[in-house]
Structures are given as structure tokens and as C-alpha cells.
Amino acid sequence: SKLSKFKDYDIYFTPEYILPVRPLNAANKKIVTIFDISYIAHPEWFPRRQLFSLRPLTGPTLKKADIILTGSESTKNEILKYYRNINADKIQVTHLGVDKKFEDINGTKDDYYSDIVKTKYSLKGKVVLFVGLVMNRRNVPVIMEAISNLKRRNGEDITFVILGHNHTYPYIDIFETAKKFGIEDNVRWIKYTSDEEVFSLYKAADVFMCASLYEGFNITPL
């Protein structure tokens, strides 16, 4: 409804994967960003309501868009794999980057800041860190199993920090899974925190883990 108020625009841009169902001014450029099409390649990872809002509109969006922006060659190739009638020339790979502020924010390279989060979250022994939305394809239970095996085999004291909301489908209970592997006392789950604390957790970590099965482009390791 808001779009109907604007008659004179040169470009319609959305970073949200799909263009509106309602017709847009044919004379103007339509640009869409599609970070990945995991919901097409692996629908079993998504609830039906999400699939219903994305899958039927992806094909028409790709056809209507004048420019399709992706974050990697991988996503571009995946689009062309599932939608063979799309002109490859209109898919533009725009690489994602990391802002300079991520190199150091408020002096968080200093050990003082990592010591603060170690105390706050009772991080003991070796610290293993996962950052990102917890999704089935990101294999958090596999990391837990590996930590459990290390702990049992070598007697190592390990703390596993999970930083991100739980978006698993089918649902995975984080604490129940930790209990299954006998490491419930070794897991710290932080759903959300400040940038400063995120950087301090990276500093405090001995190992950062990314064990994902599928990503359009996983910026977290970068």
C-alpha cells in the first residue's frame, strides 16, 4: 500500500529476496538481493509458513528483476542450477566485506576485555566459540559431540559458547542436546549481546568453530 503512494521512482531495490506481488512500474529498474536459496535447495530445513512466503515468489522475482545481487559465486551458480531460464548476465556478485571497526572496538584486543567475559560467563579451560543463528545445517550438535569426545578421551576442560538465537527446524533443544552428550555444564548459550562483548568473546576463544553444511556466503569466519 505504501508503494502505491510513490509514482516517480527510478529504482526499486529490496534486500529481502523477493519482489512484491503487485506490479511495479515496468519502466523502472528492479533490483533484488538474494543471499542464498537454501529454502529451494533444502526445504526440509524450513517451516512451511516460511516456504510459502519464499518458494512461490522466487521464480517470478528472478524473472522480473533487472539486476540480481548475490554475495558469492556459489549462490549465483545455485540460482542458475535451479532456474535454468534466468539470464546469468543479470546476476551480479557483490562480495561482502568486514568494516574496519571489527579489527578493534574500544580496545577489545586487550586481554582485559577477554578476562571480563571469561568471568561474566564462567568460561573455564579451553573456550570453543560458535557465532550465528543456530540452524540445523550449522551442526551445533556435531560440535557438541566432538567436545564430548575430547572431554571423555583427554579429560580436557572445555567451555562451548553458543552466540545466537535458536532458529532450528525441526527444533533442536540446545540444553537437552548438551545433556545428551554429557556436557550440560560446559555449554554457555548467549542469545544476543553487544558488539563490544562479541569481540571480547572472539578474543577469549581458543577455537572458533564453523561446521556448516550449506551457506550462500558465511561472513562469520571472515
Side-chain angles (χ1 to χ4, degrees), residues 150-170:
L150 273 175
K151 183 183 173 186
R152 186 172 58 252
R153 189 173 63 209
N154 302 334
E156 287 196 60
D157 194 8
I158 301 172
T159 303
F160 182 30
V161 179
I162 302 168
L163 177 54
H165 286 281
N166 189 347
H167 281 209
T168 54
Y169 180 85

Side-chain angles (χ1 to χ4, degrees), residues 68-94:
I68 302 160
L69 302 176
T70 71
S72 67
E73 292 287 347
S74 175
T75 297
K76 177 177 180 177
N77 292 335
E78 196 83 331
I79 290 171
L80 295 173
K81 172 184 173 182
Y82 285 94
Y83 297 93
R84 298 178 185 274
N85 61 335
I86 300 301
N87 182 357
D89 292 339
K90 71 177 182 177
I91 304 177
Q92 302 295 320
V93 177
T94 305

Side-chain angles (χ1 to χ4, degrees), residues 1-116:
S1 59
K2 289 183 180 180
L3 188 61
S4 62
K5 297 177 183 179
F6 298 96
K7 303 298 182 184
D8 299 320
Y9 57 90
D10 298 316
I11 297 172
Y12 178 89
F13 166 69
T14 175
E16 296 293 337
Y17 292 78
I18 54 176
L19 291 168
V21 176
R22 64 179 301 156
L24 296 170
N25 190 328
N28 298 330
K29 295 292 184 183
K30 294 170 281 295
I31 304 173
V32 61
T33 295
I34 298 179
F35 290 103
D36 70 68
I37 56 168
S38 52
Y39 53 92
I40 299 293
H42 292 280
E44 68 275 13
W45 292 337
F46 295 87
R48 287 185 178 181
R49 65 181 181 279
Q50 194 171 358
L51 293 177
F52 287 157
S53 66
L54 287 172
R55 284 174 66 90
L57 296 176
T58 298
T61 289
L62 293 170
K63 186 176 180 180
K64 288 190 296 185
D66 296 287
I67 299 174
I68 302 160
L69 302 176
T70 71
S72 67
E73 292 287 347
S74 175
T75 297
K76 177 177 180 177
N77 292 335
E78 196 83 331
I79 290 171
L80 295 173
K81 172 184 173 182
Y82 285 94
Y83 297 93
R84 298 178 185 274
N85 61 335
I86 300 301
N87 182 357
D89 292 339
K90 71 177 182 177
I91 304 177
Q92 302 295 320
V93 177
T94 305
H95 296 293
L96 303 176
V98 177
D99 193 278
K100 282 288 184 183
K101 76 171 185 176
F102 285 87
E103 293 182 5
D104 187 26
I105 182 166
N106 294 342
T108 50
K109 285 181 178 176
D110 194 303
D111 287 340
Y112 168 76
Y113 292 93
S114 62
D115 289 342
I116 288 176

Side-chain angles (χ1 to χ4, degrees), residues 118 123-129 147 156-161 186 204-207:
K118 283 182 178 180
L123 308 184
K124 300 173 183 177
K126 297 289 179 66
V127 178
V128 178
L129 177 65
I147 290 170
E156 287 196 60
D157 194 8
I158 301 172
T159 303
F160 182 30
V161 179
N186 302 78
D206 294 282
V207 176

